[in-house]
Amino acid sequence: MHLHSFVLKDLFRRKTKLMVAVLGVVVAAAAIVAVITTFSVAEESFHEATNKFGANVVVRPAIESIPLVDGYSTMGSLYAGNNYIDESDIQKIYTIRDNASLSVVAPRLYGIAELEGSSVVVMGIDPEQERNLKPWWMVRGHWLTDEDTEVPEALLGSDIAVPLGLTEGSMISLSRENISIDVRVAGVIESTGDNEDGYVILPLATSQYLLSQEGKVSSLEVRALCNACPVEEMSQQIEGVLPGIEARAMSQIVQNEMAIVDHTRSSAMAVSIITLLVSTLTVASTMLASINEKMKEIGIMRAIGASDIQIVSMLFFEGALIGAVGGFIGFFVGTLASFIAAPMLVSETPDPMWNILLPVVGVCIFTGMLASLVPAKRALGIDPAEVLRSV
């Protein structure tokens, strides 16, 4: 009889202890699969949520500040450099090496105009890009459109709209120097507590005409999808393709994002390691108890010529079999657990990660074989002569 056949028959004879050993592996494999699956969907949900943080790279023209000094007195500073970026240069950003991490590139044009005898800040935007960058804006009315209309539209900050009693559909007149345009209010942005509460927001082309800055933008706000993406390096890459500009990474936002990801990943790894250790100890203790029960059988096998390699191979096969069965069952148990846990944590239901089935089973097989080391050492220490004397 082959040793492996002997192992199979012995396992079926010891069904209760076999179930205990397999259960230990199932728990470990299920925990690993649940953690990986839940963490994966949580990470995806996290990156979708972080898109609401706004830009994490701000691109502006590089302006040099030159202090004016008269003797020992400072009389202010003189600023030198171009105040605008050519709109035609924006596409160059998409040529950087890490362009795959770019999510939003939103141009801005700022200027001052007159509204009913008062000065207001005008901000020109690309409506589609801005909407992706600031999805938390609550607009009473409708969003701007890039489509050509007979009457240009604008979004108003609440600090402007409320005092003037302006709502969706209201008409306003904006002027700057000798240029004047009539604009229809598309909507009012509910208070955000930020600067846009006091802005008149126009489509980029309309603002360029009003401010006499055709083909120009004041700045770019870039949103990079950051799962360890090199934001600082991306800023340098942007400066490389756009000479004369300064790309500044919003490091605090990036660091907060990465801290959350790293903390979650560390917690997941800790849980995985603990469950693997518990599984290894469970399988080892069960197999060690089995060795104590089979001392006579192993002693007789050694007495009739079974080699050390055959004995160890038999135990490794038993451990691998326990690991394979437990890992396979644990994958489905862990997947089911993630279906329950993930919606409670991130309101998302994950898909089964079939790509981790074989790696998880492989890890469990390795764990089972590792757990066989102590029982194997115990089995090799059995003295055949002593066993035969006691028969």
Side-chain angles (χ1 to χ4, degrees):
M1 179 184 295
H2 293 292
L3 291 178
H4 293 169
S5 300
F6 174 79
V7 171
L8 291 174
K9 288 189 176 183
D10 183 63
L11 286 174
F12 283 112
R13 188 181 57 182
R14 298 182 293 109
K15 293 180 181 179
T16 301
K17 292 185 177 179
L18 171 65
M19 290 177 62
V20 171
V22 170
L23 182 61
V25 179
V26 168
V27 171
I32 294 171
V33 172
V35 166
I36 293 175
T37 305
T38 303
F39 177 77
S40 177
V41 71
E43 191 173 23
E44 292 176 5
S45 177
F46 166 75
H47 287 303
E48 291 178 4
T50 56
N51 285 335
K52 297 181 180 181
F53 289 173
N56 49 22
V57 178
V58 178
V59 181
R60 294 190 179 97
I63 299 176
E64 183 180 0
S65 176
I66 305 173
L68 299 178
V69 180
D70 181 12
Y72 296 101
S73 301
T74 300
M75 304 179 64
S77 299
L78 176 66
Y79 295 94
N82 190 358
N83 291 326
Y84 298 98
I85 301 171
D86 288 333
E87 186 179 1
S88 60
D89 288 339
I90 295 176
Q91 291 301 317
K92 294 180 181 178
I93 292 180
Y94 293 97
T95 66
I96 66 173
R97 185 177 66 253
D98 292 307
N99 60 67
S101 296
L102 294 174
S103 173
V104 178
V105 179
R108 301 276 185 83
L109 177 64
Y110 296 97
I112 304 296
E114 295 292 321
L115 170 62
E116 296 193 5
S118 299
S119 296
V120 295
V121 176
V122 171
M123 181 172 76
I125 63 170
D126 179 318
E128 181 180 356
Q129 296 291 331
E130 196 70 26
R131 190 168 194 171
N132 292 332
L133 186 68
K134 300 291 182 67
W136 67 86
W137 280 3
M138 302 297 294
V139 177
R140 297 195 301 270
H142 64 272
W143 192 260
L144 289 179
T145 177
D146 267 334
E147 298 177 2
D148 292 332
T149 57
E150 293 184 6
V151 179
E153 291 186 326
L155 291 175
L156 299 183
S158 57
D159 289 351
I160 293 178
V162 173
L164 297 178
L166 300 174
T167 59
E168 179 186 11
S170 299
M171 295 297 297
I172 61 175
S173 179
L174 295 170
S175 61
R176 185 178 183 278
E177 297 178 352
N178 59 342
I179 298 177
S180 179
I181 58 173
D182 293 324
V183 179
R184 179 183 292 111
V185 177
V188 176
I189 302 173
E190 294 186 6
S191 180
T192 64
D194 210 341
N195 294 333
E196 56 262 18
D197 288 348
Y199 288 172
V200 175
I201 302 173
L202 300 171
L204 187 59
T206 303
S207 66
Q208 288 171 336
Y209 169 74
L210 175 63
L211 301 173
S212 301
Q213 296 295 339
E214 283 80 0
K216 303 291 184 180
V217 298
S218 302
S219 63
L220 304 171
E221 297 209 357
V222 179
R223 174 67 194 167
L225 297 176
C226 287
N227 180 13
C229 68
V231 178
E232 295 286 350
E233 187 175 334
M234 288 176 67
S235 299
Q236 296 177 6
Q237 294 173 22
I238 292 173
E239 291 179 351
V241 298
L242 292 176
I245 65 93
E246 176 187 39
R248 180 171 299 178
M250 307 294 285
S251 57
Q252 183 177 2
I253 293 177
V254 178
Q255 290 170 1
N256 289 341
E257 292 175 0
M258 296 313 302
I260 295 173
V261 173
D262 290 341
H263 176 73
T264 308
R265 183 179 292 110
S266 298
S267 299
M269 288 300 296
V271 171
S272 300
I273 292 172
I274 291 172
T275 51
L276 276 174
L277 290 175
V278 172
S279 172
T280 303
L281 292 174
T282 301
V283 175
S285 61
T286 302
M287 293 183 66
L288 193 57
S290 173
I291 293 296
N292 292 331
E293 292 178 1
K294 297 187 299 183
M295 289 184 65
K296 291 183 179 181
E297 296 175 7
I298 294 174
I300 293 172
M301 290 171 59
R302 298 193 67 191
I304 62 176
S307 66
D308 290 350
I309 294 178
Q310 288 176 314
I311 298 297
V312 172
S313 174
M314 180 181 69
L315 294 174
F316 275 10
F317 176 71
E318 181 178 342
L321 189 61
I322 292 173
V325 174
F328 188 78
I329 297 174
F331 172 82
F332 292 98
V333 174
T335 300
L336 180 61
S338 68
F339 287 170
I340 299 172
M344 293 189 294
L345 294 175
V346 294
S347 302
E348 295 284 346
T349 301
D351 295 323
M353 297 184 65
W354 299 108
N355 59 310
I356 67 172
L357 173 58
L358 291 180
V360 167
V361 172
V363 168
C364 291
I365 291 174
F366 175 78
T367 299
M369 295 177 70
L370 185 65
S372 305
L373 292 176
V374 174
K377 184 178 180 181
R378 177 76 177 90
L380 293 178
I382 296 175
D383 185 357
E386 184 179 341
V387 170
L388 290 176
R389 281 196 298 269
S390 63
V391 174

